[in-house]
Amino acid sequence: MAEAYIIDACRTPRGIGKQGKGALAHLHPQHLASTVLKALAERNHLKTKEIDDIIWGTSSQRGSQGGDLGRMAALDAGYDIKASGVTLDRFCGSGITSVSLAAAQVMSGMEDLVIAGGTEMMSYTSASADPTVPPVLDSGNLHLRELHPQSQQGVCADAIATLEGIDREAVDQLAYVSQQRAARAIEENRFDKSLVPVYNLDGSLALDREEFPRPGTTMETLGELKTVFDLYMDIPVDGEGNNYGNLVTRKYPELEGKINHVHHAGNSSGVVDGAAALLLASPDYAEQNGLKPRARIVATANMGDCPTLMLNAPVPAAKKVLEKAGLSKEDIDVYEINEAFSVVAEKFIRDMDLDREKVNINGGAMALGHPIGATGSVLIGTALDELERSGGRYGLVTMCAAGGMAPAIIIERI
């Protein structure tokens, strides 16, 4: 089987995902995606007619984010019409999955040059959502709801924290560390290799820096924030008497009246807009076209877990991909576990018994934000940049996804 090389990775800054507040919120999602596609083409002098496919992750595929964003963004970026595109949805895991599928196409020998990435403009999806309709994942399928009740993700995060005995101080501490590490990374220009500015259609600058971080965050300010997801517990989701609270307690009756709510805006992932892309090539194509590989794909894996708790699949996914790669946890120099909620990363560190200095070295989504379908691609690029900066060899990236899933990937620096 052939190797799949990562030639390059780039991403936009993450803008605050609120209409009227975020620096990117006025842009079309296709424009945000085309920004990173243009950057890859320009930085690597690509012959875009030779791109076999563009595999794109976008979770909320409706309205402006619908209609095969991967293909439309490529056309918007001025790519040759021969460069095909497809868009997929694995919820939060979409940006890892796009890279995994691109790697599989190259490693199988079916394709030689593939771009993978993702986009999510949460400013758009939140503004266009119907506030009267709770976003239950079963889409009103009462049969599925009976089999696998699925609640709101923050309620699930608090349920997991309760079951695991992870308290408010622990999740706040991790959020504080995330902010501090992100501030250090920005101060030391650790993101600069991948970061590309976003321009408006008239050529003026829209955003060239991270907009979401709050470097002044302290344990004291985090401690003053009120929990959020206790307010979700009684929100009805149907006419059958179900609400977000009992969707969890039906499966875990021991939590009835006992969920310890510990998550709030400061220790949950930030709502942002962003896009990211990676260029993958076969060794033959890279050699013939003067493309210098930065890393190779070692292994990929997918794992499902309890849909009701929803957020617990990263640990089994990490163990599965390590086994596929023939590596131990000690072989990994850089771990990127998406901070969807603080408890996800905290449980991952505890269950895997990891050195905390290897995990989310440059901060995570609590400080920088989580542009759903793009985040996995962002994190792979972040891991690669950190491996190059530190001289490490292996990076492992994983994240929880709605429905109780987690994709995982291991890369090796070349």
Side-chain angles (χ1 to χ4, degrees), residues 68-336:
D68 192 353
L69 189 54
R71 170 65 170 174
M72 296 305 125
L75 295 174
D76 187 68
Y79 276 28
D80 191 282
I81 59 172
K82 292 182 179 179
S84 184
V86 65
T87 302
L88 59 87
D89 173 15
R90 197 194 293 274
F91 302 113
C92 297
S94 301
I96 293 179
T97 297
S98 66
V99 177
S100 297
L101 293 180
Q105 287 294 91
V106 173
M107 294 169 78
S108 70
M110 293 295 102
E111 293 173 340
D112 289 300
L113 188 66
V114 185
I115 291 175
T119 301
E120 204 83 37
M121 293 197 66
M122 299 179 77
S123 59
Y124 169 73
T125 56
S126 60
S128 62
D130 184 347
T132 67
V133 179
V136 287
L137 294 169
D138 56 38
S139 300
N141 181 348
L142 297 182
H143 176 255
L144 174 57
R145 191 171 298 173
E146 187 66 30
L147 292 173
H148 298 292
Q150 298 175 69
S151 186
Q152 200 275 344
Q153 290 96 323
V155 172
C156 296
D158 285 342
I160 292 168
T162 304
L163 290 169
E164 297 292 328
I166 298 174
D167 60 19
R168 170 74 181 259
E169 183 177 2
V171 291
D172 279 0
Q173 179 64 34
L174 200 64
Y176 171 71
V177 169
S178 183
Q179 291 285 353
Q180 294 298 301
R181 290 180 175 179
R184 179 186 63 190
I186 292 168
E187 177 68 24
E188 296 180 0
N189 302 315
R190 295 187 184 185
F191 298 139
D192 285 8
K193 190 168 188 176
S194 291
L195 208 62
V196 296
V198 181
Y199 293 94
N200 296 309
L201 289 175
D202 63 5
S204 61
L205 180 67
L207 187 64
D208 62 355
R209 59 176 178 79
E210 300 290 355
E211 194 175 29
F212 189 79
R214 298 174 292 278
T217 298
T218 65
M219 284 294 288
E220 289 72 24
T221 58
L222 288 169
E224 293 169 358
L225 295 175
K226 294 182 179 180
T227 57
V228 173
F229 300 106
D230 43 332
L231 305 178
Y232 281 66
M233 294 290 285
D234 296 327
I235 295 177
V237 296
D238 56 33
E240 306 295 318
N242 289 306
N243 56 45
Y244 282 131
N246 64 30
L247 287 178
V248 172
T249 58
R250 277 170 49 189
K251 198 83 170 183
Y252 295 88
E254 67 271 28
L255 290 173
E256 182 72 47
K258 295 180 180 179
I259 293 180
N260 181 26
H261 296 281
V262 296
H263 288 91
H264 49 73
N267 59 29
S268 303
S269 55
V271 175
V272 295
D273 300 330
L278 293 95
L279 177 64
L280 281 73
S282 67
D284 286 347
Y285 187 92
E287 183 178 359
Q288 292 166 12
N289 291 273
L291 298 175
K292 184 179 179 181
R294 296 174 60 190
R296 73 179 185 95
I297 306 296
V298 178
T300 70
N302 296 290
M303 181 62 76
D305 202 89
C306 173
T308 299
L309 291 179
M310 198 179 302
L311 312 175
N312 278 343
V315 169
K319 291 179 177 179
K320 183 178 181 179
V321 79
L322 284 167
E323 183 177 359
K324 282 179 173 288
L327 297 172
S328 71
K329 65 180 184 181
E330 288 78 16
D331 292 320
I332 304 300
D333 302 292
V334 173
Y335 285 92
E336 288 288 338

